[in-house]
Amino acid sequence: MNQALCEEWLVLHGSPMSQGLLQEVEGNMVLLFCPDAQEGVSGWYQLHTHCPGKGLCIRSCTSAVERDGSGTNKRDKQYQAHRAFGDRRNGVISARTYFYANEAKCDSHMETFLRCIEASGRVSDDGFIAIKLTALGRPQFLLQFSEVLAKWRCFFHQMAVEQGQAGLAAMDTKLEVKVLQESVAKMGIASRAEIEDWFTAETLGVSGTVDLLDWSSLIDSRTKLSKHLVVPNTQTGQLEPLLSRFTEEEELQMTRMLQRMDILAKKATEMGVRLMVDAEQTYFQPAISRLTLEMQRKFNMEKPLIFNTYQCYLKDAYDNVTLDVELARREGWCFGAKLVRGAYLAQERARAAEIGYEDPINPTYEATNAMYHRCLDYVLEELKHNAKAKVMVASHNEDTVRFALHRMEELGLHPADHQVYFGQLLGMCDQISFPLGQAGYPVYKYVPYGPVMEVLPYLSRRALENSSLMKGAHRERQLMWLELLRRLRTCSLFHCPT
């Protein structure tokens, strides 16, 4: 069955997917991507030719639960799949986007990551590679899991409002246990005896209060509280189950995703390479961060092997950083972070406006810069007191790099300690990278890996989403001309570094 015949069949039969993109024509099966397919759901359809008398049979790769659509009207708006944003590449010129076709494709992505780990390990004793979790499993699982985490966190803040603690920073919000027990009991979530078992000195300490980290720990599978995980629906006033029921197939997909992550982390340990888990869209990010946290608990006991990524254009970036730093302190593993500004600005804002939830992005570029510096300052303060914690300052912004160097000097953080790394894209902002390297700072050039037609659009992101890049390119050209003129005047055209 060739691609032309498939396209002809779709048009003749008036398929709503006739405007889709046919991909991977192979034998009697064709994978077609439908641009208006739900985000988080694969968006791919299998077309088979072996249905007698029916031409092609179209079967969505989505699960029965997703096709049924039950329960979707109860989701928080931000974590609902939306047809207008089914193709997650829209509004994102360059960030690599993976679509779930099948488990074999995820295995193929894992093999590519493994080869990258091996390549990095062979050329450096202190290398990094970046991975995306949407390449390793079904995005729908990340969407559903993010919804669970977001609802549970929202429930905590609702209780904080009742106790008069609205508007406090995440780490400053502490609920009185006795008052919380009374509130939960009145809601009918569990019996008073059961609720008292949740909040014990063994699980929460002896402070008499519950903070967001304590609260989040309650949905850990090790606490076996899943049957009680319900939250009030603010519209209906009814209690709703927090955890969705996964089908056997979905549970298997979830398990395989975790197994792939484990394989990558073990390979990275073997090769001496650190894994930076890329941040992605906000409706996936709670799950991505939680899964990254589980990897950090396992592999960051002696040194930070797994680095989480924090997008500082988000309004809640500082809360996310401070919570994770505190959790690492409490549990005794090594904190590792990559700080970026963010790659999905246009798409995130358009989606928030279309669906009707609060824009998660800081209102201005200046606000994002301030957030970046605030997060970086907090992490650098942690590094001063914890020699095992590390951070990657991934920025093309000269002011941010100057800020980092200034704070490092004030805090007594020396380049030779290799606690603070700097990163820029290969071929960009060399006027930042080279002086840093010559001054002894650990500098990394980020090398996008893949076919040319996929890598070039990726590189264009900085030009479109980060205006400072173009200023940096202009600055770099000026510096190169000045250096050329200096060499001509001093008759030292060929420079031989000592």
Side-chain angles (χ1 to χ4, degrees):
M1 172 61 106
N2 61 38
Q3 182 161 337
L5 288 175
C6 289
E7 290 173 340
E8 180 181 0
W9 187 92
L10 288 167
V11 173
L12 289 175
H13 287 71
S15 168
M17 298 183 294
S18 59
Q19 300 302 313
L21 305 175
L22 285 167
Q23 300 285 343
E24 301 186 21
V25 180
E26 182 177 355
N28 287 334
M29 188 185 79
V30 178
L31 289 179
L32 176 142
F33 175 69
C34 180
D36 66 352
Q38 292 182 335
E39 64 198 343
V41 182
S42 66
W44 291 93
Y45 293 79
Q46 291 179 355
L47 287 70
H48 295 273
T49 59
H50 57 260
C51 299
K54 296 183 181 180
L56 293 174
C57 290
I58 301 177
R59 180 175 65 84
S60 171
C61 293
T62 62
S63 69
V65 171
E66 293 161 352
R67 289 195 295 272
D68 177 64
S70 59
T72 56
N73 61 329
K74 296 181 179 180
R75 290 183 182 176
D76 180 86
K77 288 183 177 181
Q78 187 170 358
Y79 302 98
Q80 290 182 27
H82 194 279
R83 290 184 177 276
F85 299 89
D87 185 346
R88 300 195 308 279
R89 295 168 296 187
N90 290 338
V92 183
I93 301 300
S94 56
R96 185 72 170 90
T97 301
Y98 293 90
F99 290 97
Y100 179 87
N102 51 50
E103 293 298 297
K105 193 68 174 178
C106 294
D107 287 336
S108 175
H109 293 151
M110 181 188 69
E111 291 298 329
T112 299
F113 289 148
L114 288 172
R115 291 196 296 272
C116 290
I117 293 172
E118 290 177 350
S120 178
R122 285 196 297 265
V123 300
S124 172
D125 294 330
D126 202 29
F128 287 91
I129 81 154
I131 64 173
K132 283 185 179 290
L133 293 196
T134 50
L136 299 177
R138 190 186 189 87
Q140 178 68 12
F141 159 61
L142 296 175
L143 192 69
Q144 289 176 286
F145 191 25
S146 291
E147 177 197 6
V148 168
L149 297 171
K151 280 187 174 181
W152 193 240
R153 188 165 179 167
C154 182
F155 190 17
F156 175 83
H157 289 300
Q158 289 176 7
M159 296 296 99
V161 171
E162 288 189 7
Q163 294 193 22
Q165 298 191 47
L168 295 180
M171 283 308 305
D172 294 332
T173 305
K174 300 182 187 298
L175 306 183
E176 294 294 332
V177 171
K178 290 185 178 180
V179 178
L180 180 59
Q181 288 174 336
E182 289 292 334
S183 298
V184 173
K186 288 179 181 178
M187 292 177 186
I189 292 176
S191 69
R192 189 173 298 277
E194 288 174 323
I195 295 170
E196 289 176 355
D197 287 340
W198 296 5
F199 308 104
T200 64
E202 181 181 354
T203 57
L204 303 178
V206 293
S207 65
T209 61
V210 176
D211 63 21
L212 188 53
L213 292 177
D214 298 325
W215 184 257
S216 298
S217 71
L218 293 176
I219 62 172
D220 193 300
S221 60
R222 287 166 288 190
T223 62
K224 299 181 180 180
L225 294 175
S226 59
K227 68 177 182 179
H228 298 301
L229 293 181
V230 292
V231 293
N233 184 309
T234 54
Q235 276 72 42
T236 66
Q238 301 297 313
L239 295 175
E240 298 177 353
L242 181 64
L243 293 175
S244 303
R245 286 187 177 182
F246 290 100
T247 65
E248 184 177 344
E249 175 190 3
E250 289 168 335
E251 288 182 354
L252 182 58
Q253 291 168 350
M254 189 189 317
T255 300
R256 287 174 176 169
M257 184 180 192
L258 297 173
Q259 288 173 341
R260 293 182 187 108
M261 294 167 61
D262 191 67
I263 290 170
L264 292 175
K266 288 178 178 177
K267 186 66 173 181
T269 303
E270 175 189 336
M271 300 299 297
V273 175
R274 276 75 54 86
L275 295 185
M276 298 184 296
V277 180
D278 273 352
E280 303 191 47
Q281 287 93 342
T282 52
Y283 43 95
F284 292 142
Q285 195 55 44
I288 292 172
S289 292
R290 183 57 181 256
L291 294 176
T292 303
L293 169 63
E294 294 301 327
M295 295 172 67
Q296 290 177 315
R297 282 173 166 155
K298 181 175 181 179
F299 294 98
N300 284 17
M301 295 308 297
E302 296 182 3
K303 60 182 181 180
L305 178 81
I306 309 297
F307 282 55
N308 199 6
T309 300
Y310 300 89
Q311 297 171 305
C312 294
Y313 70 177
L314 297 179
K315 295 175 182 176
D316 60 0
Y318 183 76
D319 281 347
N320 293 335
V321 170
T322 55
L323 285 168
D324 286 356
V325 168
E326 176 61 23
L327 186 63
R329 291 173 187 159
R330 293 184 187 183
E331 297 184 348
W333 46 268
C334 303
F335 180 77
K338 179 176 74 167
L339 298 183
V340 301
R341 277 174 170 75
Y344 306 96
L345 186 148
Q347 185 192 75
E348 292 280 9
R349 282 189 166 155
R351 189 177 187 275
E354 175 69 22
I355 300 177
Y357 58 87
E358 182 184 353
D359 183 356
I361 308 296
N362 288 314
T364 64
Y365 180 74
E366 290 72 24
T368 292
N369 284 343
M371 179 65 78
Y372 194 111
H373 291 179
R374 187 185 183 196
C375 293
L376 177 57
D377 188 58
Y378 185 88
V379 173
L380 292 177
E381 287 279 358
E382 175 66 12
L383 267 58
K384 176 183 178 181
H385 303 288
N386 182 357
K388 289 188 175 183
K390 299 184 186 297
V391 63
M392 167 68 77
V393 182
S395 177
H396 296 97
N397 188 296
E398 290 186 18
D399 291 337
T400 293
V401 173
R402 290 194 191 98
F403 175 83
L405 297 179
H406 176 68
R407 290 296 290 138
M408 287 178 66
E409 184 177 3
E410 289 182 338
L411 296 169
L413 299 172
H414 302 288
D417 295 336
H418 282 218
Q419 283 186 277
V420 182
Y421 306 97
F422 294 88
Q424 292 86 38
L425 278 169
L426 180 67
M428 295 186 181
C429 292
D430 288 344
Q431 82 278 6
I432 295 177
S433 308
F434 289 170
L436 284 172
Q438 291 169 350
Y441 292 91
V443 182
Y444 290 79
K445 299 301 280 188
Y446 195 93
V447 184
Y449 171 86
V452 172
M453 294 308 294
E454 293 184 8
V455 171
L456 287 179
Y458 173 86
L459 295 175
S460 73
R461 178 175 67 201
R462 266 53 180 205
L464 294 174
E465 296 188 353
N466 189 344
S467 60
S468 67
L469 173 64
M470 298 312 295
K471 295 176 184 177
H474 180 68
R475 171 69 172 160
E476 187 172 0
R477 186 172 63 178
Q478 285 182 321
L479 292 173
M480 291 177 69
W481 275 111
L482 289 173
E483 176 63 12
L484 179 59
L485 291 174
R486 184 194 69 79
R487 294 187 186 188
L488 289 173
R489 285 197 301 266
T490 58
C491 298
S492 57
L493 187 61
F494 299 102
H495 177 61
C496 297
T498 56

